[in-house]
Amino acid sequence: MVIDVTSYEVVITSDRTMMSNHHGKEFLGFLATGPAVGLPEKLWMWLAAPKIKVDGEGRPIEAPYGLRKIEAKLIDAGFRAAVIDPDHIHKHLDGMKVLMVGHHDFFAYGPPSNEWWLITGEEPVNRLSFMRFMRSETVRKAKAKGVKVIAGGPAAWQWLWELDFWRECGIDVVVDGEAERVIVDLVRKALDGEELPNYVFVGPADTPSIDEIPVIKAASVNGLIEVMRGCPRGCKFCSVTLRPLRFIPLDKIEKEILVNIKSGITNAILHSEDVLLYGGDGIKPRPEAVIKLHEMVRKHVKGSIAWSHASLASIKYAEDNFKLISRLASEYLLTEGQNFLGVEVGIETGSPRLAEIIMPAKSAPYPASMWPEVVEDSFRIMHENTIIPAATLIIGLPGENSYDVVKTAELIDKLRPYRSIIVPMFFVPMGVLKNRDWFKKQYLTSDHIDLMIRIVNHTLYWAEDIMNKFYLREPYLTPLRFLLKLFIQYVKWRLSRLVPVIEATTHR
Amino acid sequence: MLDIELKSHHMVIVLDSDLDGLEMVLRNMAELSIKNGFRRFVIHVISTYGNPYYLEKLRYLLQSITSYTVVVRYEGSSSSDLLKLINKLPSDSSIFIRRDSPLIDALKERGLNIYLW
């Protein structure tokens, strides 16, 4: 049977770990950052990243937001471009001239993938899946017929460590940074057969203005939409903070929500480094702007609303000064279709000394010396308002000493009463620290091990509670829930056996 | 050439060993940024390591740059590639080369901004 599909000259894609809605549960996507622990890889992949619905041309109903932005920019510029599911790009082999691949973590060097890799000694499935895709027959055929391959996204820098694979895949250009201002010109030059550069790093002067950021044309994974870009806090380990701060206007956000709703996506994830700073006054939240945003979102979104990220200092400041968290929770978030709010937050360290050096403005407007109190207070505020944070913590920050690790462990103990998931991550050089050394296994001390065990115990304790009361409650997700509960038991068992072995191989 | 390359300062790095001149390149970028307002740089690389392996030697430099837009191009490995490149670049381009590089003879008496390490 001959399938008649529109011919796209530019095909934008990624591997399965990215091209999935993770059963409609964004957090499950994190499973793709680990190896298939205790389960066959196929089953693990199904848990983390099931296939997504596509149309007759292989265009996914939902696709990663970053790919959607590139697609929109190219369509607006007049190109025949589309995001295509990785299993369906063969349908476009004849017309394809440029293949664009994007990823959050191409080779599992980012957090938390590199950490699971380091701990288990096994390659995470995101790396395996992406490399398998790039080695697929279709990609090889595309390259053989002269298709230009452009790689980009937040993990673009990782290609600099994979030069053999770069050569094997015949990558033409890697674009690192916000691409809106350069991508149209780059694709045009690729289509015209001009010599392309190997690497483009988009610096702050070339970050797109609000007007240059397009509105997505088709739905994003789990209704994720951007409300801000950049962050004013200036933490040294973070690459986002290098970009200027921009607030996406409400009318643009509304248009994107409507695009998602039209495709049947009833939920929304507001993406920002700190949702509470939307329309803010420097590092202080401004309640009117945040309320207007939520009012507009709730007007359209009948399902759940999540925040991608919020800062702990903003949570404390907003609640202490304006009761903003309780107001948002009761009036806009925890309504009929929703019984909790998920958000990622960054603890990073429990040491005021290290906080002052590495992230002096993360606690602002409170002083860095108050950082542990800021963390504890905001965890309490979130717990009281049924907001469930997935918190990150960085092990091996440059300049970290055993005092810092002990202070962090003390903080973890204080956070025990508050419902949360805490994920330890090893330092990965990014932001202004991107030329620093990676955290390596041999740097692990017994203090680190002690800290990690406390964190895992905290997370396992609350994970069961979260699964019992909040997460995966829908009847159709029962098998998934069962598998995850089994996985938690397996981790507990493995941990009890692994701890003595790890302790024996680390040094004080 | 991309549009962003048109308003950039051009640099040539002759890379036939580890890039010990890293600080020199970064300093040159900072000076040009302050003096002439450049926020974009095109780095043209002549290297015997080949494409894309030359990027391994350039990695630390690229990871050290956070404030500017940088475009990197591989331009070949021989002295004739170097001469061909220099002929098409603006005369104020900066050239970074190892003091004892065999390609240095090709640059003599051209009145270019040459930085030796």
Side-chain angles (χ1 to χ4, degrees):
Chain A
M1 189 178 78
V2 178
I3 303 166
D4 181 26
V5 293
T6 308
S7 168
Y8 294 108
E9 57 192 349
V10 184
V11 168
I12 306 157
T13 193
S14 190
D15 76 294
R16 178 60 61 215
T17 58
M18 293 287 293
M19 200 71 79
S20 171
N21 71 356
H22 320 290
H23 305 275
K25 305 287 174 188
E26 195 68 11
F27 195 71
L28 287 181
F30 277 101
L31 287 175
T33 65
V37 183
L39 290 173
E41 193 188 318
K42 276 196 172 170
L43 190 55
W44 187 270
M45 280 293 284
W46 174 79
L47 269 176
K51 290 189 179 190
I52 202 152
K53 279 185 193 162
V54 297
D55 67 9
E57 296 176 1
R59 292 181 302 179
I61 305 303
E62 300 167 62
Y65 188 77
L67 303 189
R68 286 290 191 217
K69 283 289 190 198
I70 295 298
E71 176 188 53
K73 193 73 192 169
L74 295 174
I75 291 173
D76 286 346
F79 295 104
R80 283 179 287 116
V83 175
I84 302 292
D85 184 275
D87 287 352
H88 296 264
I89 63 166
H90 63 275
K91 294 176 180 171
H92 303 277
L93 203 50
D94 289 343
M96 191 197 310
K97 304 267 187 338
V98 176
L99 175 64
M100 305 181 80
V101 289
H103 213 290
H104 280 302
D105 201 1
F106 287 110
F107 302 108
Y109 292 161
S113 316
N114 74 329
E115 181 193 355
W116 307 138
W117 189 355
L118 200 144
I119 290 171
T120 63
E122 291 173 43
E123 290 176 80
V125 294
N126 52 3
R127 175 184 170 90
L128 294 171
S129 166
F130 175 69
M131 293 177 92
R132 208 160 34 224
F133 167 68
M134 290 303 285
R135 286 177 171 140
S136 66
E137 200 187 338
T138 313
V139 174
R140 283 181 188 278
K141 277 184 182 169
K143 197 60 210 169
K145 72 183 269 287
V147 168
K148 299 284 181 192
V149 184
I150 302 175
W157 58 274
Q158 297 181 3
W159 283 95
L160 294 172
W161 274 263
E162 289 283 351
L163 298 173
D164 282 331
F165 195 62
W166 177 317
R167 189 183 166 92
E168 182 187 333
C169 300
I171 299 295
D172 291 281
V173 195
V174 172
V175 182
D176 185 358
E178 291 182 44
E180 281 98 338
R181 195 174 281 180
V182 299
I183 205 66
V184 169
D185 185 37
L186 187 63
V187 168
R188 186 169 291 130
K189 302 274 157 61
L191 290 171
D192 290 347
E194 285 193 29
E195 277 293 317
L196 300 175
N198 295 130
Y199 198 81
V200 179
F201 173 75
V202 182
D206 285 305
T207 50
S209 65
I210 289 291
D211 290 341
E212 290 170 306
I213 299 173
V215 171
I216 58 173
K217 310 284 184 207
S220 56
V221 169
N222 294 324
L224 184 140
I225 39 161
E226 187 177 45
V227 300
M228 273 166 67
R229 267 192 206 183
C231 174
R233 292 193 183 270
C235 301
K236 291 183 182 169
F237 51 79
C238 179
S239 55
V240 177
T241 205
L242 301 172
R243 305 173 195 160
L245 182 65
R246 286 144 292 167
F247 300 121
I248 309 294
L250 280 182
D251 63 322
K252 261 190 163 176
I253 298 171
E254 187 169 30
K255 280 180 190 162
E256 295 202 334
I257 288 176
L258 294 175
V259 167
N260 283 331
I261 287 175
K262 203 174 155 192
S263 295
I265 314 296
T266 55
N267 302 327
I269 301 171
L270 307 184
H271 186 274
S272 159
E273 301 316 312
D274 189 349
V275 170
L276 293 166
L277 283 190
Y278 181 76
D281 174 16
I283 41 78
K284 291 181 182 169
R286 219 164 44 83
E288 308 79 51
V290 182
I291 286 169
K292 265 190 180 174
L293 170 70
H294 284 79
E295 211 167 51
M296 183 276 288
V297 176
R298 183 47 89 198
K299 189 173 82 182
H300 299 294
V301 175
K302 302 304 168 208
S304 72
I305 299 171
W307 296 342
S308 70
H309 305 82
S311 77
L312 296 167
S314 291
I315 289 168
K316 176 174 163 58
Y317 184 84
E319 185 65 8
D320 287 355
N321 291 279
F322 312 111
K323 296 274 170 227
L324 182 60
I325 303 301
S326 0
R327 185 170 168 197
L328 289 172
S330 61
E331 291 181 27
Y332 304 104
L333 298 170
L334 306 181
T335 55
E336 221 170 283
Q338 181 165 1
N339 65 347
F340 77 100
L341 174 94
V343 61
E344 279 179 52
V345 298
I347 301 172
E348 323 310 3
T349 179
S351 161
R353 186 199 78 85
L354 192 57
E356 212 156 319
I357 298 168
I358 222 96
M359 46 184 216
K362 197 170 176 73
S363 59
Y366 308 100
S369 57
M370 267 184 72
W371 180 238
E373 290 97 303
V374 170
V375 175
E376 199 184 339
D377 283 357
S378 63
F379 266 63
R380 175 186 48 76
I381 292 164
M382 288 189 284
H383 185 86
E384 287 168 0
N385 287 283
T386 333
I387 296 173
I388 304 178
T392 56
L393 197 144
I394 305 176
I395 288 174
L397 280 162
E400 178 199 80
N401 60 32
S402 64
Y403 163 85
D404 303 317
V405 183
V406 170
K407 294 304 282 180
T408 305
E410 286 172 10
L411 178 61
I412 296 302
D413 290 347
K414 287 182 185 166
L415 297 180
R416 181 72 168 198
Y418 310 120
R419 188 180 293 110
S420 52
I421 299 288
I422 302 177
V423 183
M425 302 195 299
F426 294 143
F427 172 69
V428 172
M430 289 196 276
V432 294
L433 298 175
K434 69 178 182 173
N435 59 355
R436 295 298 190 92
D437 200 8
W438 298 64
F439 187 81
K440 297 186 178 84
K441 199 171 189 172
Q442 58 265 34
Y443 302 160
L444 270 178
T445 64
S446 55
D447 288 332
H448 287 133
I449 298 295
D450 175 58
L451 170 62
M452 286 169 70
I453 291 168
R454 286 174 201 233
I455 293 170
V456 173
N457 283 331
H458 174 104
T459 294
L460 288 174
Y461 170 73
W462 281 112
E464 286 188 315
D465 174 84
I466 292 164
M467 296 244 302
N468 287 334
K469 295 179 184 157
F470 300 96
Y471 211 56
L472 307 174
R473 302 298 301 160
E474 298 86 336
Y476 75 95
L477 294 173
T478 306
L480 201 66
R481 205 158 145 251
F482 173 73
L483 275 174
L484 282 174
K485 283 197 160 187
L486 266 184
F487 174 66
I488 289 171
Q489 295 310 318
Y490 175 78
V491 173
K492 280 183 172 173
W493 175 77
R494 273 292 289 265
L495 194 68
S496 66
R497 296 174 65 110
L498 265 177
V499 169
V501 180
I502 299 170
E503 279 176 341
T505 56
T506 54
H507 49 85
R508 287 190 177 270
Chain B
M1 193 175 273
L2 301 180
D3 292 346
I4 55 166
E5 293 176 77
L6 297 173
K7 291 176 187 165
S8 301
H9 180 77
H10 292 259
M11 297 177 143
V12 178
I13 299 180
V14 180
L15 209 50
D16 47 12
S17 66
D18 286 341
L19 180 58
D20 294 328
L22 166 69
E23 294 302 327
M24 203 184 282
V25 178
L26 290 172
R27 205 178 314 123
N28 190 238
M29 283 179 168
E31 281 166 10
L32 288 161
S33 168
I34 294 163
K35 210 167 109 188
N36 303 331
F38 281 113
R39 308 292 289 166
R40 294 170 176 163
F41 296 89
V42 183
I43 300 177
H44 303 267
V45 179
I46 299 284
S47 175
T48 48
Y49 292 107
N51 189 6
Y53 294 105
Y54 75 94
L55 285 163
E56 187 186 336
K57 303 292 176 189
L58 214 59
R59 197 159 60 195
Y60 192 74
L61 174 72
L62 294 175
Q63 289 297 97
S64 300
I65 296 168
T66 53
S67 307
Y68 316 118
T69 290
V70 179
V71 176
V72 182
R73 287 180 175 272
Y74 180 71
E75 307 279 5
S77 60
S78 65
S79 54
S80 61
D81 292 329
L82 177 59
L83 287 177
K84 208 165 79 183
L85 171 67
I86 284 167
N87 286 335
K88 69 176 185 188
L89 290 182
S91 58
D92 65 346
S93 303
S94 315
I95 296 154
F96 298 86
I97 186 163
R98 191 163 49 89
R99 204 172 290 277
D100 55 354
S101 167
L103 296 181
I104 205 159
D105 289 341
L107 301 173
K108 280 180 182 167
E109 297 172 14
R110 282 193 165 246
L112 302 162
N113 298 319
I114 299 176
Y115 299 83
L116 302 172
W117 80 80

